[in-house]
């Protein structure tokens, strides 16, 4: 067995190295990388199929590195190990996990015993292991009345990127009315509204900007999520520019 540890903090790398040795005595090779770019290079060169991955790293974060690795080798098992239980990270991972892949998401605050159990469960037994707090976010996203549907979350991302209603409608293949209805649902779920009861008074908030602020405060959005979204937006803009040029 070979395990690649990807973590930008040297002390955390040392802790993970010790944890892998303790939990996986059958492991023959442990290598370390300090960011996503180094991870991709080592995973490709040494064909690692078992990786422990931090999420918040520069210049390339864990989700982007995992996307590349899973694209090239979808059978790879990845344990995400992070300080953050953000819905943005939960959704980012859910979008890229290949069907049938064993993966996990464990918080750095988890006990040593919990980490050891996750390492064996994912890398030996091919089981998925998700911390309770993170699983609660998954369930909220999928079913709770205050959770966001995938379509609503995409539109939340789009307004954070600054797209107009019409641009969102074009990008998401929706009618303008459907976009506006989803925006209203987003405002309701975030509790975003203009508090003045007097409709003749000047509005206190720009609701779109307020929604983005509240989403950041509630950890529905984060910097890596917007970095990914900005890259995807650039690809879409180039595609529609080509389409418009052909008309």
């Amino acid at each position: 067995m070979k395990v690649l540890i990807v973590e930008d903090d040297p002390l955390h790398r040392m802790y993970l190295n010790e944890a892998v040795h303790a939990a996986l005595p059958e492991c023959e090779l442990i290598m370390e990388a300090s960011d996503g770019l180094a991870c991709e290079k080592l995973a490709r060169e040494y064909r690692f199929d078992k990786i422990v991955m931090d999420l918040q790293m520069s210049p390339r974060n864990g989700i982007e590195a995992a996307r590349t690795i899973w694209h090239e080798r979808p059978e790879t098992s990845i344990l995400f190990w992070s300080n953050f239980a953000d819905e943005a990270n939960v959704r980012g991972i859910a979008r890229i996990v290949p069907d049938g892949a064993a993966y996990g998401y464990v918080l750095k605050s988890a006990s040593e015993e919990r980490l050891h159990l996750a390492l064996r469960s994912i890398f030996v037994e091919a089981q998925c292991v998700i911390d309770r707090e993170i699983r609660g976010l998954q369930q909220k996203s999928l079913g709770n009345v205050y959770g966001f549907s995938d379509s609503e979350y995409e539109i939340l991302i789009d307004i954070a990127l600054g797209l107009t209603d019409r641009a969102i409608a074009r990008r998401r293949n929706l009618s303008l009315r459907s976009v506006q209805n989803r925006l209203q649902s987003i405002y309701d779920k975030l509790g975003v509204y203009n508090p003045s009861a007097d409709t003749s008074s000047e509005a206190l908030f720009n609701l779109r900007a307020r929604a983005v602020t509240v989403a950041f405060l509630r950890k529905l959005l984060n910097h890596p999520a917007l970095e990914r979204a900005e890259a995807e937006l650039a690809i879409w803009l180039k595609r529609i520019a080509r389409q418009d040029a052909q008309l």
Side-chain angles (χ1 to χ4, degrees), residues 9-35:
D9 185 295
L11 292 178
H12 284 164
R13 284 202 303 273
M14 183 183 302
Y15 174 75
L16 285 173
N17 198 306
E18 293 172 354
V20 171
H21 274 295
L24 302 167
E26 60 268 63
C27 185
E28 301 169 352
L29 175 66
I30 301 174
M31 295 188 73
E32 299 177 357
S34 60
D35 62 67

Side-chain angles (χ1 to χ4, degrees), residues 67-160:
R67 184 203 300 269
T68 299
I69 289 165
W70 270 330
H71 177 74
E72 296 178 0
R73 303 188 69 196
E75 72 280 6
T76 302
S77 300
I78 300 178
L79 169 57
F80 296 98
W81 193 62
S82 175
N83 280 319
F84 305 100
D86 294 5
E87 186 168 342
N89 288 333
V90 171
R91 287 181 177 271
I93 293 170
R95 291 175 61 191
I96 64 173
V97 178
D99 291 340
Y103 79 101
Y105 192 151
V106 174
L107 294 175
K108 292 183 179 180
S109 58
S111 67
E112 185 176 350
E113 180 182 1
R114 172 65 171 167
L115 177 58
H116 290 181
L117 176 62
L119 287 166
R120 288 208 66 83
S121 297
I122 297 165
F123 295 156
V124 177
E125 301 170 11
Q127 296 180 2
C128 292
V129 177
I130 311 293
D131 269 0
R132 181 179 300 175
E133 183 177 352
I134 298 162
R135 191 170 293 281
L137 287 176
Q138 289 179 323
Q139 292 170 346
K140 176 181 175 182
S141 297
L142 291 173
N144 191 287
V145 66
Y146 295 109
F148 285 79
S149 68
D150 288 343
S151 179
E152 289 168 347
Y153 191 76
E154 287 175 346
I155 290 175
L156 178 63
I157 290 282
D158 284 347
I159 64 174

Side-chain angles (χ1 to χ4, degrees), residues 2 26 31 33 53 64 77 110 112 120 139 150 170 173 186 191-193 195-197 199 204 220 222 232 238-239 243:
K2 301 181 296 184
E26 60 268 63
M31 295 188 73
M53 182 89 75
E64 289 303 317
S77 300
E112 185 176 350
R120 288 208 66 83
Q139 292 170 346
D150 288 343
R170 181 175 182 182
N173 295 314
I186 289 169
V192 173
Y193 60 96
S196 175
T199 56
L204 296 180
L220 291 163
N222 60 17
E232 292 169 357
K238 289 180 181 178
R239 184 169 68 248
Q243 292 172 355

Side-chain angles (χ1 to χ4, degrees), residues 155 165-166 168-170 172-182:
I155 290 175
D165 290 4
R166 291 188 181 279
I168 294 172
R170 181 175 182 182
R172 303 302 177 184
N173 295 314
L174 296 169
S175 69
L176 186 59
R177 177 59 62 86
S178 293
V179 170
Q180 293 167 344
N181 287 342
R182 284 167 173 78

